[in-house]
Amino acid sequence: MSGTITAVSSNGTYSFSKPNRESVTLVAGLGVEGDVHAGATVKHRFRMAKDPAQPNLRQVHLIHEELFDEVRAAGFEVAAGQLGENVTTRGIDLLNLPTGTRLHLGDEAVVEVTGLRNPCAQIDGFRKGLMKQVVGRDADGAVRFKSGIMSVVLTGGVVRPGDPVRVELPDGPHTPLTIV
């Protein structure tokens, strides 16, 4: 299973959206160099208020570009980086990867998938009504979060749009993603 990186984004200050970059550098154990969410311990403001010493399982946020196609069909214009992701991909079903999947990004970088991103109220602040598009239900009626996945950096490296993404599934049994 493989795909492509279509955009990379980062921001050194807290904001909902992140500007696209020509490249980002992933740093093992920390995240995206220069990004406000980089660090060994949690950097999300809500989570820091609860326990600033908890490990940062949200170092790199990835979203599948196919989500933008889906929400566009529902009347919402969203582009790479605007939902706060660091890496935008195409061709990989990110939401159905099991916990512990390793994604090889470009020539060197490797991230390990930790879980789903939980959609927050800021999504509706960005585009009113968009939250309903990124929270849906599966065939069994269970809630399905579509706003991307979170990961930690195992091996650092430079990542650029156009770079390949190679999926390395963990040994079974596979554990479905939950919110981290």
Side-chain angles (χ1 to χ4, degrees), residues 1-3 62-64 89 91-105 111-116 144-145 148-151 165-170 173-178:
M1 189 180 337
S2 65
L62 298 97
I63 282 186
H64 52 297
T89 66
I92 298 173
D93 186 1
L94 295 177
L95 302 177
N96 285 312
L97 295 173
T99 302
T101 297
R102 292 182 177 193
L103 299 174
H104 297 257
L105 308 175
V111 298
E112 185 172 296
V113 177
T114 56
L116 294 169
R144 179 165 164 83
F145 298 114
I149 63 171
M150 306 308 287
S151 65
V165 178
R166 184 174 58 84
V167 176
E168 179 187 347
L169 296 172
H174 291 164
T175 305
L177 297 177
T178 57

Side-chain angles (χ1 to χ4, degrees), residues 6 14 21 28 58 67-68 81 85 94 111 116 125 145 157 166 170:
T6 59
Y14 285 104
R21 308 286 182 193
R58 302 164 58 96
L67 176 64
F68 304 148
E85 78 276 11
L94 295 177
V111 298
L116 294 169
F145 298 114
R166 184 174 58 84

Side-chain angles (χ1 to χ4, degrees), residues 8-12 14 18 24-44 47 52-63 84-88 103 105 109-118 148-157 159 179-180:
V8 294
S9 311
S10 67
N11 200 340
Y14 285 104
K18 296 184 182 211
V24 293
T25 300
L26 303 187
V27 180
L30 296 178
V32 178
E33 184 177 76
D35 191 81
V36 70
H37 293 106
T41 57
V42 69
K43 300 301 175 198
H44 187 279
R47 293 170 190 277
Q54 64 185 302
N56 187 2
L57 301 177
R58 302 164 58 96
Q59 294 173 359
V60 180
H61 175 199
L62 298 97
I63 282 186
E85 78 276 11
N86 302 110
V87 177
T88 309
L103 299 174
L105 308 175
V110 180
V111 298
E112 185 172 296
V113 177
T114 56
L116 294 169
R117 175 205 184 180
N118 57 322
I149 63 171
M150 306 308 287
S151 65
V152 295
V153 181
L154 299 180
T155 305
V159 179
I179 290 176
V180 293

